[in-house]
Amino acid sequence: MTKTKVKMFVVLLCVTGIWVLRGHVSRMLSEYFSQLQDTYPCAFDKCLSEDDLWSMLHLNTSVEPFLSAQYNLSEDAFNWWKRLQAERHDFSTYKTTVDRLFEMFPSSPDVIKPSPDLCRSCAVVGNSGNLKQSRYGPLIDLHDVIIRINHGPTKGFEADVGTRTTHHVMYPESAVDLDNNTHLVLFPFKIQDLEWLIKAFSTGFTGRSYVPVKSNIKANKDLVMVINPAFMRYVHDMWLQKKGSYPSTGFMTLILALHICDEVRVFGYGADKYGNWNHYWEKLKDTKFKTGKHPGSHEYGIIEELAEKQKIMFFTGRRSFS
Ligand SMILES: *[C@@H]1O[C@H](CO)[C@@H](O)[C@H](O)[C@H]1NC(C)=O
Ligand SMILES: *[C@@H]1O[C@H](CO)[C@@H](O)[C@H](O)[C@H]1NC(C)=O
Ligand SMILES: *[C@@H]1O[C@H](CO)[C@@H](O)[C@H](O)[C@H]1NC(C)=O
């Protein structure tokens, strides 16, 4: 492919975005995309100059997405976090639990550092029914980082969602076993969730939660990462202007990707073509569910805005509207 063609393709991606892609179109895009990466480390770079002010108002790259042994959470951030799921234990309990956590898991998160000649590409794969028949699998599998969420399976859905998973986001109530080379990314919403992580990898967890919780988990202990409560607060404050009680895991995962990647492609978010918020692996049960206590439509608006301002590429799958 000549440089001019590559440039034209980049411009096409930048100017139009690609809304409806499936079957052979998705495969064609995968091919272009891999050739493109040989030529330019970061295809998106060409589009990032506009709307930087908007970005500056939301994105704060100094916020640490992950906890580490060296990081000290402020008491103020703890007090915000503890009301999410009515935590009754105090800040010192939090601190001793975190200390125990890092006796067992890596003391600093395994993230790829940014570098001028490196493009860290991320695919964030949500669980929306709009992935059905999307044939995004081959495109998703080309990314360096592939993040999946909660129960999101690949087995049996490879053509639409891909096969590789580098990071799997979960909380105790949504936990699934992982293979040996996938990072477990825990979103803690209470001290018990940190406790759960320790126990699920050792003696077994016997506590209770609002739904039954796995007592043990199969995953690589050396690849565990824990989200910083102050990061959750930042997403709520800066990205959602404090709307809703707190952001959904899916939305926080997308913002996480903006912090750890240079190029973010988003799949499986939003409603299906009938306006339902079902999962790609199941038949719709409750058509009135909407998005629970999270500010779903506001979050979706921000995702569309990010796509419009070319900070992400948003793949909406099979929808009859968009
Ligand atoms: C960005 O985050 C850092 C670290 O939490 C904080 O000190 C700083 O005030 C934040 N900047 C803005 C503009 O909010
Ligand atoms: C965190 O707090 C500990 C003890 O309170 C202190 O020794 C350490 O320097 C602090 N770390 C940072 C990064 O501020
Ligand atoms: C899992 O990966 C670790 C390195 O993170 C390695 O030491 C270990 O042998 C692997 N275990 C299996 C069962 O492949």
Side-chain angles (χ1 to χ4, degrees), residues 202-214:
S202 54
T203 55
F205 179 79
T206 54
R208 289 155 175 266
S209 188
Y210 53 86
V211 293
V213 173
K214 274 168 86 66

Side-chain angles (χ1 to χ4, degrees), residues 25-318:
V25 187
S26 166
R27 269 194 303 281
M28 198 179 78
L29 187 69
S30 320
E31 272 167 36
Y32 272 116
F33 175 54
S34 52
Q35 287 177 24
L36 205 60
Q37 284 197 317
D38 295 339
T39 319
Y40 294 111
C42 236
F44 281 25
D45 274 354
K46 312 293 167 290
C47 338
L48 284 184
S49 55
E50 254 181 68
D51 296 312
D52 282 342
L53 185 65
W54 184 87
S55 234
M56 277 164 56
L57 292 173
H58 295 82
L59 188 69
N60 181 347
T61 51
S62 0
V63 179
E64 292 287 345
F66 299 105
L67 288 178
S68 64
Q70 291 74 40
Y71 180 81
N72 295 328
L73 185 70
S74 74
E75 186 154 10
D76 197 39
F78 173 78
N79 287 333
W80 175 85
W81 179 74
K82 77 174 202 179
R83 59 166 195 91
L84 302 188
Q85 288 185 10
E87 178 61 64
R88 275 169 309 195
H89 294 99
D90 63 6
F91 191 34
S92 72
T93 311
Y94 166 85
K95 284 191 284 193
T96 50
T97 310
V98 169
D99 290 345
R100 283 197 290 124
L101 196 70
F102 288 114
E103 283 166 17
M104 187 154 172
F105 300 106
S107 58
S108 57
D110 175 27
V111 288
I112 311 165
K113 298 270 177 298
S115 147
D117 41 39
L118 186 70
C119 183
R120 302 163 302 167
S121 68
C122 258
V124 182
V125 188
N127 292 329
S128 168
N130 70 30
L131 284 168
K132 284 182 199 165
Q133 313 296 319
S134 68
R135 299 294 183 260
Y136 288 153
L139 177 60
I140 289 171
D141 276 342
L142 283 171
H143 292 77
D144 301 320
V145 171
I146 300 169
I147 312 178
R148 300 185 196 274
I149 302 170
N150 297 337
H151 294 107
T154 53
K155 202 167 185 301
F157 305 93
E158 292 86 351
D160 294 333
V161 308
T163 58
R164 296 175 51 230
T165 307
T166 65
H167 293 70
H168 201 118
V169 157
M170 63 181 77
Y171 41 89
E173 294 81 3
S174 73
V176 291
D177 291 337
L178 303 177
D179 63 31
N180 195 44
N181 41 35
T182 302
H183 291 80
L184 188 167
V185 180
L186 181 81
F187 273 76
F189 294 100
K190 50 191 176 305
I191 295 172
Q192 178 178 283
D193 297 353
L194 305 169
E195 195 68 48
W196 171 82
L197 194 60
I198 298 169
K199 296 267 175 67
F201 276 95
S202 54
T203 55
F205 179 79
T206 54
R208 289 155 175 266
S209 188
Y210 53 86
V211 293
V213 173
K214 274 168 86 66
S215 62
N216 292 92
I217 190 160
K218 280 199 209 75
N220 188 336
K221 195 160 80 62
D222 300 327
L223 298 180
V224 166
M225 304 163 97
V226 182
I227 295 290
N228 176 4
F231 179 80
M232 299 177 168
R233 185 194 196 185
Y234 143 77
V235 175
H236 190 237
D237 289 359
M238 299 290 285
W239 287 93
L240 298 178
Q241 279 77 46
K242 308 189 183 183
K243 288 199 177 67
S245 46
Y246 57 96
S248 70
T249 303
F251 188 73
M252 289 191 278
T253 302
L254 197 157
I255 304 303
L256 171 67
L258 287 175
H259 280 249
I260 63 173
C261 300
D262 303 302
E263 200 172 80
V264 177
R265 290 182 182 76
V266 176
F267 305 84
Y269 277 64
D272 67 8
K273 63 177 167 177
Y274 306 108
N276 294 321
W277 294 75
N278 57 338
H279 294 138
Y280 62 80
W281 64 88
E282 64 192 9
K283 289 228 159 60
L284 188 64
K285 281 174 282 187
D286 179 6
T287 53
K288 294 196 192 66
F289 176 68
K290 302 280 184 210
T291 59
K293 67 182 158 219
H294 302 302
S297 63
H298 187 66
E299 290 182 350
Y300 193 78
I302 302 280
I303 298 172
E304 288 187 312
E305 218 169 339
L306 279 166
E308 225 167 79
K309 299 185 189 311
Q310 291 157 0
K311 306 298 173 194
I312 62 170
M313 272 188 90
F314 188 22
F315 294 80
T316 50
R318 284 171 80 91

